[in-house]
Amino acid sequence: MKLQRMNRRALSLGALAVSGALALTACGSDDTGSSSGSSSSATAAAGSIKCDDAKGQLLADGSSAQKNAIDAWVKNFTQACSGVQVNYKGSGSGAGVTAFTQGTVAFAGSDSALKPEQVTASKSVCSGGQGIDLPMVAGPIAVAYNVSGVDNLTLDAATIAKIFDGKITNWNDAAIKALNPDATLPDLKIQPYHRSDESGTTDNFTKYLIAASPDNWKYSGGKAWQAKGGQAAAGSSGVAQGVKQTNGAIGYMELSYAKDGLGTVAVDTGASAPVKPSSDGATKAVAAAQVVGTGSDLSLKLDYNTKAEGAYPLTLVTYEIACDKGNKAATLPATKAFLRYIASTEGQGILSGIDYAPIPDAIISKVRTTIEGLS
């Protein structure tokens, strides 16, 4: 009897040790790969992902602005759906749309909605259907700078336009001084950086300048940079690196790239206080957007000249572009499963922690319905 009691006790202790090890293993799986430290929300998202029949390799390309969000999403998704590989290149919105209309990717990311001629081109790839815009990520475009001794900087649309058009060339210019009376501005040449590739970030940045300061930004806008002068770099990461390495530099980039010593401009919109780029400020700006797409297309019209309190006007929306009908049978299950996850409450929930902004409920609910109808 004594021996039996000892054996039972040993078995109980063994079971306790195994359950403890399992608990530790579960805790150890909370890493999301994001820089936000918000592992709990990302882990919850991974736990509720529906893989369905998703398998194989999912190729995608496009917006570099959303690349950090995609990376976090891909890590969660592929942990849950081990039979799928998602390869998102982030070559820029222009490259992504081109790849989509050429049929080399399952979906594309673009910070600008499809143009009519691009929709027409997509019909040759989407058998019986066409490419549609699904708003998935919102994010503030930071105007980031590297000026020794300047920790806080406020600019308005007119001053930003003049800087990037080469009309204001020195940091101690009177217009910058007037907006920053308490700053010690150096006698230093301004080095503006812009994108060298076709970019939805450029498109949205220049849409802001056109809307908020039309007298000082006379260009038509678009994904290709049109102003003369300045330094050019590829991708948001390239612009961020150039600004970081150059004292006196300023550039525009998605907020998640404005790290490691770069300052971000507070924008004087005419509200009671200048607005710094933030997830909350972007969400407030997007909440006032109007859906202007037709049918399954959910493209949005933003108010770049907003003066609403706390709304950050330099905000972009990244669309995932997919076929409404005529998706390739081999990639349709994985495409729907991945898009379903990133549009879900859990997928959207990780965005604020990594310097993006979730799409407002009224819009993302329509995106979820549309995804379920993809065929």
Side-chain angles (χ1 to χ4, degrees):
M1 290 293 292
K2 184 176 181 182
L3 181 60
Q4 289 175 340
R5 285 195 299 271
M6 290 175 64
N7 286 341
R8 283 197 297 270
R9 185 169 183 268
L11 287 170
S12 298
L13 289 171
L16 182 62
V18 170
S19 65
L22 289 173
L24 287 171
T25 301
C27 291
S29 68
D30 283 354
D31 177 31
T32 69
S34 77
S35 60
S36 66
S38 57
S39 59
S40 57
S41 62
T43 302
S48 62
I49 293 171
K50 297 178 181 179
C51 304
D52 294 337
D53 299 321
K55 59 184 178 180
Q57 189 173 45
L58 193 61
L59 298 179
D61 196 4
S63 165
S64 66
Q66 71 167 353
K67 182 68 163 60
N68 291 336
I70 290 283
D71 287 348
W73 279 332
V74 166
K75 183 168 186 180
N76 287 343
F77 181 78
T78 54
Q79 282 177 342
C81 305
S82 57
V84 184
Q85 285 183 309
V86 182
N87 182 358
Y88 183 83
K89 293 172 66 177
S91 302
S93 296
V97 172
T98 297
F100 180 76
T101 56
Q102 292 178 346
T104 60
V105 295
F107 72 91
S110 176
D111 307 320
S112 301
L114 291 170
K115 296 179 179 178
E117 61 269 25
Q118 293 168 335
V119 173
T120 300
S122 73
K123 292 180 179 180
S124 63
V125 175
C126 306
S127 179
Q130 65 181 46
I132 56 172
D133 301 289
L134 301 173
M136 202 70 73
V137 188
I141 301 172
V143 181
Y145 65 94
N146 174 11
V147 181
S148 295
V150 179
D151 298 323
N152 295 290
L153 186 68
T154 295
L155 299 174
D156 58 13
T159 310
I160 294 170
K162 291 175 183 177
I163 286 172
F164 281 90
D165 198 25
K167 302 293 174 55
I168 292 178
T169 59
N170 222 59
W171 279 109
N172 63 357
D173 187 274
I176 303 177
K177 283 183 175 180
L179 290 164
N180 299 273
D182 298 327
T184 303
L185 297 166
D187 181 7
L188 177 68
K189 182 182 177 182
I190 298 175
Q191 306 253 25
Y193 274 78
H194 60 265
R195 290 281 290 271
S196 61
D197 52 323
E198 288 203 355
S199 159
T201 309
T202 295
D203 190 17
N204 283 273
F205 179 66
T206 54
K207 280 179 179 176
Y208 160 72
L209 295 177
I210 292 168
S213 190
D215 291 341
N216 295 295
W217 195 259
K218 299 294 187 180
Y219 304 97
S220 61
K223 292 180 180 178
W225 184 255
Q226 296 172 322
K228 307 300 181 185
Q231 307 293 324
S236 293
S237 58
V239 173
Q241 185 178 16
V243 175
K244 192 180 302 181
Q245 292 175 346
T246 308
N247 186 28
I250 188 169
Y252 58 91
M253 66 201 71
E254 200 280 327
L255 179 59
S256 66
Y257 291 90
K259 303 288 188 183
D260 302 327
L262 293 182
T264 56
V265 168
V267 178
D268 184 345
T269 64
S272 63
V275 186
K276 292 275 281 187
S278 70
S279 296
D280 287 346
T283 298
K284 288 178 181 177
V286 177
Q290 296 177 322
V291 176
V292 294
T294 58
S296 299
D297 187 88
L298 296 172
S299 56
L300 303 175
K301 182 179 180 180
L302 300 175
D303 180 7
Y304 295 96
N305 199 26
T306 179
K307 294 175 176 57
E309 295 295 327
Y312 185 73
L314 258 166
T315 293
L316 60 77
V317 169
T318 299
Y319 302 93
E320 310 312 332
I321 296 170
C323 297
D324 57 355
K325 299 176 183 178
N327 288 278
K328 293 178 181 177
T331 56
L332 177 59
T335 299
K336 288 184 72 170
F338 183 68
L339 294 180
R340 180 187 296 123
Y341 160 57
I342 67 178
S344 70
T345 300
E346 296 85 357
Q348 291 286 300
I350 72 172
L351 292 176
S352 294
I354 50 176
D355 293 324
Y356 293 92
I359 300 297
D361 290 342
I363 299 172
I364 201 67
S365 62
K366 295 178 181 179
V367 172
R368 293 168 187 153
T369 301
T370 302
I371 291 169
E372 295 307 319
L374 298 181
S375 62

